[in-house]
Amino acid sequence: MARKTITCGFAGAILRTTVRRQGIPVDISGASVLQVQIFRPDGTAVTQTAVFTNSGTDGQVQYVTVATDTAPGGTNLPGVYRFRFRIVNAAQGIDGWLDDHQLVAEEPT
């Protein structure tokens, strides 16, 4: 599980993953659905639209956070955020949520 650390309320964190089969990136350029789901420390969650990092042929998908993802209600909420991506690509037989990753938001020093 990958872990990234940011300052509370930071917008612009790049969340990224690579879809792989047997260690080899999968061409997901034909995907019809790209989503990210972010689970906040307070138990709430948000689902957003993700995008390809490049063209999708390298298996990479990403999402760049906005303030409301990591600071719900305009408050700075420190703690561990989990996030995962959903890919639907019929040609590759992919339809579901990928592995969880973590994002840690810390109070500014």
Side-chain angles (χ1 to χ4, degrees):
M1 182 180 305
R3 179 177 256 191
K4 181 178 189 111
T5 302
I6 64 166
T7 301
C8 286
F10 174 77
I14 298 171
L15 311 180
R16 183 179 294 155
T17 196
T18 303
V19 179
R20 298 176 190 274
R21 278 200 187 115
Q22 299 177 352
I24 300 170
V26 175
D27 178 352
I28 57 170
S29 60
S32 60
V33 175
L34 298 173
Q35 294 177 315
V36 64
Q37 190 171 38
I38 302 170
F39 301 90
R40 301 177 183 121
D42 66 359
T44 61
V46 62
T47 301
Q48 304 282 22
T49 300
V51 297
F52 296 122
T53 301
N54 295 302
S55 64
T57 58
D58 58 1
Q60 290 192 357
V61 61
Q62 72 178 22
Y63 174 73
V64 180
T65 63
V66 295
T68 54
D69 295 328
T70 55
T75 62
N76 289 335
L77 188 62
V80 177
Y81 292 74
R82 283 187 314 112
F83 66 94
R84 62 184 180 172
F85 289 91
R86 179 175 181 230
I87 311 293
V88 176
N89 186 321
Q92 293 290 354
I94 301 169
D95 184 356
W97 294 98
L98 304 178
D99 294 337
D100 283 7
H101 300 273
Q102 290 185 348
L103 173 69
V104 178
E106 297 177 342
E107 294 286 354
T109 54

